[in-house]
Amino acid sequence: MDASSPDLPDVTPMMAQYLDIKSRSGDAMLFYRMGDFYELFFDDAIKAAAALDIALTRRGKHLGQDIPMCGVPYHSYEAYLARLIRKGFKVAICEQTEDPAEARKRGGKSVVRRAIARVVTPGTLTEEALLDSARANHLGALALLRGGADAALAWMDISTGDLQVRATSAAAFRLHAAALAFSELVVSDDEPPTDEWRSALAEASRDCALARHPSAHFDSRSGERRLREVFAAAALDAFGDFSREDLSALGALLSYVSLTQVGRLPALKPPRKSGEGAAMLIDAATRASLEILQSQSGGREGSLFAAVDRTATGPGARLLAQRLSSPLTDPRAINERLAAVAWFAAEAALCERLGECLRATPDMARALSRLTLGRGGPRDLAAIRDGLCAARDMARDLNEAARAGGAPPEVAGSLHALDAQGGGGFSDLIGELKAALAPDLPLLARDGGFIARDFDPGLDAVRLLRDESRRVIAGLETQYRQETDLRTLKVRHNNVLGYYVETPPSGADRLQSGEHARVFIHRQTIATAVRFTTTELADLDARIARARDESLARELELFARLSETVAKRASDIADAADAIAAIDVAASLASLAREDAYVRPVVDESFTFVVERGRHPVVEQALRREGRGPFIANDCRLGDDASGRIWLVTGPNMAGKSTFLRQNALIAILAQAGSFVPAASAHIGVADRIFSRVGASDDLARGRSTFMVEMVETAAILNQASPRALVVLDEIGRGTSTFDGLSIAWAAVEHLHQENRSRALFATHYHELTALSRTLPRLENVSMRAREWKGDVVFLHEVAKGPADRSYGVAVARLAGLPASAIARAQALLTELEARKSGAPTIDELPLFAALEPVPKTPPPAPDPALEALFELNPDRLTPREALDAIYRLKSLLSSREAAP
């Protein structure tokens, strides 16, 4: 049902107001505040009731039809709001802007004034309950100038105030969007200028909400003017050299935030320009393949982030995720991060003290954003107080450690920010917040009771009057009982009558007769009681109400003053919050290195990639968690003097080829993110890009088969990989016929070697490719070791020099449980096909199934006691004596087997 013009005779004043406000809410649902509920009407109500699974009712009529209505409780609206936002809706929050008592003064039919307080969208969330503490919530804006030839991407996290911009293009935009994982992207309401941009935005819309914004807000001059106003700067030169497209994107972003926040902006950090080439580029397919921030099932568990995250704070987790998502390419900056981790790794006692402090540290950055946007509460002030106290304690501990042996640059910079050494420190602010805030704080300022006693004399005087009046009420109740000789008489309170005298019906006659009738004035009769008032009680009621209102009004004044005091130090507080996050990340990575035997990698500008005894960080943890024994470590040498830049990896399925490929890509990401790595040693020449084509999947929504997806991703690698890239490719060409697949894989290897010249790991079952090592000097054959034992294959998970002798496919099929007849047939066909090399029959000449002798159903062979005993051993849990006993037992079992007939 459409909500049209209110100029109709059957429209009530309240509904006329609703329709007027709704007409200005755009495409957002309207949460219309009515008392203790947010109500929705018309189409909004129909959509919300279905999305939230709540009752759809009706209220009045419009144009002769019932008006659909539903509502959510005001005090618990956030859960409903979160569900609507996750389902792609925008929500305009319409609040009452005056007290209903003020509206009644204008006349009995006057409507309480209301206005939109904010528009909630996926990229503008600030509520703690709606945000993931370990994940940034990025809002982006894309500006396209000169027909898309000049483009810039600006982004911010409104919950922390971080603001950045970078140049982009239609091809690069896909990579940047994958790294930033936008919740919402602001674009012009004009049509994209080219087919390439149309395609890029269509892809982006599958992963985030697109917000259309008037093209006038993408004007570069308006953007520059808006930036100067926001940051109170006469010129922007101090922030960086911004192009026209940069200013256009930044201006549109700030305009959208101002629109949705109804004129307010959070405490923003000065805009930073992200340089081209500053971060490793990782496309969406590679991110999914390597499971950097989330596993392929969509959850956090099983990802690289989950495996290495030891952070104690939400800001620390967000910073670690950001570093893993966008590893650096500058060796100097990488080594500064590594130096901080190494310093903390040598300071185990310091890390323990810092960990205790960090675990008690609130999220200052998000509390600051809520306060500066005008939607913070007393607990946000407490978060600032407690966060600054924690920062001061951390600064003290770090200073002691630094005096003993110095501190690396990243730690020294954090130390400077922790106690605002350049801004006079936080002592005064901490002192004021400690004195002002009560021990127990409500969530919302309007609930009152959050200002401590003795902080404000005026407030204390009002509270004394309020509390004294309550004592007088209690005294009046005692007095009235004595005067009337009614022990059941009570003085009660409700929001309608205020304070009143209540007695059971049996006592009402006494209060309505004789001299008591002149004191007690009848107010209300209900089934179980009769209610009265007195002149004295009514006077006290009015005084208590005034004291309560004056007390709350004074507390709200003090809250506004304290929030303003915090806002004046917003820049220093934000820097301290960033410093806490950086310390959390460095200290947690140091703890990871100590606990899981990670080492500091050598990172430089060479083309070397040498990892000795490298391990997969996720798989290693899974094996340890499940008690399945140690991870088998392996070396990888690409690009040094002793090996080729391409390793061709052969070997059976299930032997660990994919794990080996992925682990080396993850080691490169960890190293360039500034983390130690799971290896005995590592020398990483920085990679500008990582490409991973591992695993099979289709894209049915875009009409792409598994093989087509494989080819599209392979094409992207061969077209874009540079000599500084690291490429991992698994089983290229398997989705088509044997000769087609072999030809494609062959050409891909040659192209990587001759044209891309990248460091690469190329896994394949096409053993014919191993012959390329004779003609391609930078290609080397390695294989995953396996052994066949009595018809079963044993995977050793070790990488060895040279090609694999075969793929053991039939043995793997037997392990998977294929019927014995199918296994026998496969073995027979394999024998025939392998014999073709010596002139055996062609495939057309192979015997048909009907010509085969039936495979007798024989019972499975008896288990080998020696092998069973061997597989039951867990080397990590054996003492030296138990290990020696196990060897003697195995020798005895083997001797018994040899002696058997």
Side-chain angles (χ1 to χ4, degrees):
M1 182 184 293
D2 184 30
S4 56
S5 170
D7 299 327
L8 292 164
D10 63 343
V11 175
T12 65
M14 186 278 291
M15 191 54 63
Q17 182 194 63
Y18 168 85
L19 292 170
D20 177 55
I21 296 173
K22 175 62 183 173
S23 69
R24 291 181 272 115
S25 66
D27 58 350
M29 282 185 174
L30 186 64
F31 269 30
Y32 182 80
R33 176 76 182 278
M34 293 178 65
D36 290 335
F37 281 81
Y38 284 119
E39 304 288 5
L40 299 97
F41 299 98
F42 298 103
D43 286 346
D44 286 356
I46 296 171
K47 293 174 184 175
L52 301 174
D53 193 23
I54 58 177
L56 181 67
T57 61
R58 61 181 184 270
R59 179 189 176 107
K61 290 184 178 290
H62 179 63
L63 301 178
Q65 297 182 21
D66 291 336
I67 299 174
M69 182 183 82
C70 68
V72 300
Y74 168 69
H75 294 287
S76 58
Y77 78 97
E78 288 182 344
Y80 299 97
L81 182 62
R83 289 167 64 185
L84 289 174
I85 295 299
R86 281 196 296 268
K87 293 188 176 185
F89 295 103
K90 296 180 181 179
V91 178
I93 307 291
C94 176
E95 298 286 5
Q96 296 175 179
T97 57
E98 69 171 347
D99 191 279
E102 293 298 317
R104 285 194 292 271
K105 292 177 182 178
R106 298 197 305 273
K109 294 186 178 181
S110 295
V111 180
V112 175
R113 291 192 179 97
R114 294 176 174 86
I116 293 176
R118 59 185 285 222
V119 178
V120 185
T121 68
T124 60
L125 299 174
T126 57
E127 286 85 353
E128 192 172 0
L130 306 186
L131 292 168
D132 183 345
S133 64
R135 179 180 176 181
N137 191 49
H138 285 134
L139 170 69
L142 176 67
L144 304 177
L145 276 60
R146 292 199 316 118
D150 295 334
L153 185 63
W155 68 94
M156 73 159 63
D157 184 342
I158 194 174
S159 70
T160 61
D162 191 46
L163 178 62
Q164 297 187 58
V165 67
R166 70 176 306 153
T168 191
S169 64
F173 168 74
R174 293 177 169 88
L175 299 170
H176 300 153
L180 291 164
F182 293 117
S183 295
E184 185 177 8
L185 180 67
V186 181
V187 296
S188 170
D189 57 4
D190 290 340
E191 278 296 308
T194 66
D195 289 343
E196 192 175 12
W197 274 115
R198 249 187 305 278
S199 173
L201 289 175
E203 286 183 25
S205 68
R206 293 202 298 269
D207 299 318
C208 72
L210 288 189
R212 300 287 177 180
H213 201 43
S215 58
H217 292 286
F218 285 82
D219 178 71
S220 60
R221 291 185 179 178
S222 298
E224 181 178 6
R225 184 168 57 253
R226 186 177 291 273
L227 282 166
R228 290 202 308 267
E229 290 172 357
V230 169
F231 295 101
L236 300 177
D237 297 347
F239 301 138
D241 183 18
F242 297 110
S243 64
R244 287 183 59 238
E245 54 270 26
D246 293 338
L247 295 172
S248 173
L250 286 166
L253 185 62
L254 294 179
S255 166
Y256 184 77
V257 172
S258 179
L259 176 70
T260 57
Q261 307 309 301
V262 192
R264 304 194 73 147
L265 290 174
L268 293 173
K269 300 168 188 173
R272 291 184 290 126
K273 184 159 184 174
S274 179
E276 198 63 40
M280 177 193 290
L281 297 178
I282 310 174
D283 60 39
T286 298
R287 289 177 187 278
S289 170
L290 297 180
E291 301 178 299
I292 298 173
L293 296 185
Q294 64 181 28
S295 66
Q296 293 191 16
S297 64
R300 183 173 177 267
E301 193 64 32
S303 68
L304 173 65
F305 175 55
V308 302
D309 181 22
R310 302 285 192 280
T311 56
T313 68
R318 294 196 297 270
L319 180 60
L320 176 61
Q322 183 268 321
R323 289 185 177 184
L324 292 175
S325 187
S326 297
L328 299 175
T329 55
D330 178 6
R332 181 192 60 78
I334 294 168
N335 281 296
E336 283 189 0
R337 290 182 180 177
L338 291 171
V341 177
W343 190 75
F344 281 112
E347 299 279 354
L350 173 63
C351 284
E352 185 64 31
R353 292 197 302 275
L354 290 175
E356 293 176 4
C357 191
L358 286 164
R359 282 188 285 275
T361 302
D363 196 333
M364 273 201 304
R366 286 184 168 172
L368 178 64
S369 178
R370 286 190 291 270
L371 288 168
T372 54
L373 278 169
R375 65 179 70 114
R379 294 180 189 176
D380 291 313
L381 288 176
I384 300 296
R385 176 199 63 197
D386 297 343
L388 294 179
C389 287
R392 186 171 60 183
D393 293 343
M394 281 186 266
R396 182 191 62 241
D397 290 340
L398 289 170
N399 265 318
E400 291 176 5
R403 279 195 295 269
E410 185 172 272
V411 176
S414 297
L415 184 54
H416 186 272
L418 281 175
D419 53 5
Q421 294 176 11
F426 293 117
S427 296
D428 291 344
L429 179 56
I430 292 172
E432 184 173 9
L433 291 175
K434 278 187 172 182
L437 297 175
D440 297 319
L441 299 172
L443 178 63
L444 303 172
R446 68 167 182 269
D447 293 333
F450 56 86
I451 296 296
R453 294 192 180 277
D454 301 326
F455 177 72
D456 182 74
L459 177 60
D460 288 342
V462 175
R463 282 175 169 171
L464 181 63
L465 173 62
R466 180 195 64 192
D467 297 341
E468 181 63 27
S469 298
R470 288 173 178 168
R471 282 193 289 272
V472 172
I473 290 288
L476 270 179
E477 182 180 79
T478 302
Q479 175 188 328
Y480 290 157
R481 284 179 178 179
Q482 292 172 349
E483 290 177 352
T484 62
D485 197 26
L486 283 173
R487 299 303 172 195
T488 54
L489 180 148
K490 294 180 180 178
V491 176
R492 297 184 180 277
H493 180 274
N494 66 30
N495 291 331
V496 177
L497 299 179
Y499 284 98
Y500 55 87
V501 174
E502 183 176 276
T503 183
S506 59
D509 289 344
R510 184 176 302 184
L511 298 185
Q512 292 175 305
S513 62
E515 61 182 18
H516 296 319
R518 292 193 295 272
V519 177
F520 295 95
I521 305 165
H522 180 263
R523 291 292 306 276
Q524 189 180 48
T525 298
I526 59 176
T528 58
V530 183
R531 293 166 177 173
F532 301 85
T533 188
T534 69
T535 303
E536 188 175 17
L537 190 59
D539 181 56
L540 272 173
D541 191 9
R543 287 167 55 195
I544 291 173
R546 283 196 302 272
R548 183 174 60 248
D549 292 344
E550 289 174 12
S551 172
L552 179 58
R554 181 58 182 159
E555 284 199 85
L556 293 176
E557 287 179 15
L558 293 171
F559 178 80
R561 193 188 83 189
L562 291 169
S563 297
E564 185 178 351
T565 301
V566 167
K568 289 178 181 176
R569 299 297 306 277
S571 179
D572 289 337
I573 294 171
D575 288 344
D578 289 345
I580 291 172
I583 289 168
D584 189 11
V585 169
S588 68
L589 289 176
S591 297
L592 171 72
R594 286 194 303 270
E595 294 167 7
D596 288 8
Y598 283 29
V599 298
R600 178 175 180 172
V602 174
V603 180
D604 56 27
E605 297 210 19
S606 70
F607 289 91
T608 298
F609 187 92
V610 175
V611 176
E612 295 185 356
R613 297 191 60 75
R615 314 185 305 275
H616 193 298
V618 182
V619 176
E620 180 181 43
Q621 284 192 13
L623 291 175
R624 186 187 308 132
R625 195 165 50 244
E626 297 166 10
R628 291 164 53 195
F631 184 90
I632 306 301
N634 283 296
D635 297 347
C636 182
R637 308 181 70 89
L638 303 175
D640 68 343
D641 294 336
S643 66
R645 295 187 70 175
I646 298 178
W647 271 17
L648 190 70
V649 187
T650 51
N653 284 316
M654 299 290 293
K657 294 196 302 296
S658 297
T659 298
F660 177 68
L661 266 60
R662 284 190 175 104
Q663 82 183 34
N664 286 289
L666 294 179
I667 285 172
I669 287 172
L670 283 172
Q672 292 185 220
S675 169
F676 283 23
V677 299
S681 68
H683 182 175
I684 309 295
V686 290
D688 61 354
R689 291 193 65 166
I690 281 186
F691 294 94
S692 175
R693 167 60 247 176
V694 181
S697 63
D698 54 34
D699 189 352
L700 298 180
R702 300 173 68 187
R704 292 177 176 177
S705 66
T706 301
F707 179 65
M708 186 60 178
V709 170
E710 177 186 322
M711 289 298 97
V712 168
E713 293 176 3
T714 304
I717 295 171
L718 298 183
N719 284 322
Q720 300 175 47
S722 71
R724 193 164 284 287
L726 176 63
V727 177
V728 295
L729 282 164
D730 188 20
E731 304 297 354
I732 296 302
R734 63 183 164 186
T736 185
S737 70
T738 302
F739 294 128
D740 277 355
L742 174 60
S743 301
I744 293 169
W746 189 304
V749 172
E750 286 186 341
H751 198 281
L752 280 170
H753 186 280
Q754 302 294 101
E755 303 297 332
N756 304 108
R757 304 178 71 84
S758 305
R759 293 164 289 183
L761 294 168
F762 194 106
T764 185
H765 277 293
Y766 294 127
H767 289 257
E768 294 86 346
L769 296 182
T770 59
L772 288 172
S773 63
R774 296 195 293 267
T775 57
L776 302 180
R778 290 187 300 281
L779 183 141
E780 187 172 351
N781 286 314
V782 298
S783 59
M784 306 302 300
R785 294 182 61 202
R787 291 289 181 269
E788 200 163 6
W789 177 263
K790 292 191 174 181
D792 289 333
V793 63
V794 179
F795 304 118
L796 303 180
H797 302 294
E798 294 177 359
V799 177
K801 295 288 186 181
D805 55 351
R806 53 200 175 103
S807 289
Y808 298 94
V810 174
V812 173
R814 182 182 293 110
L815 285 177
L818 264 68
S821 58
I823 293 295
R825 173 62 169 161
Q827 187 63 59
L829 291 172
L830 177 63
T831 302
E832 293 282 357
L833 290 169
E834 286 178 337
R836 288 178 58 194
K837 296 176 182 177
S838 57
T842 67
I843 189 121
D844 293 333
E845 298 169 327
L846 290 174
L848 297 175
F849 280 100
L852 288 177
E853 291 293 328
V855 178
K857 293 185 178 180
T858 58
D864 187 314
L867 277 177
E868 285 191 334
L870 179 62
F871 283 125
E872 286 174 0
L873 291 178
N874 186 339
D876 288 334
R877 296 183 178 178
L878 295 179
T879 66
R881 178 57 184 267
E882 289 170 340
L884 189 60
D885 290 344
I887 291 173
Y888 280 120
R889 182 176 173 228
L890 289 171
K891 185 173 177 63
S892 174
L893 290 169
L894 288 171
S895 298
S896 300
R897 186 177 66 186
E898 295 298 328

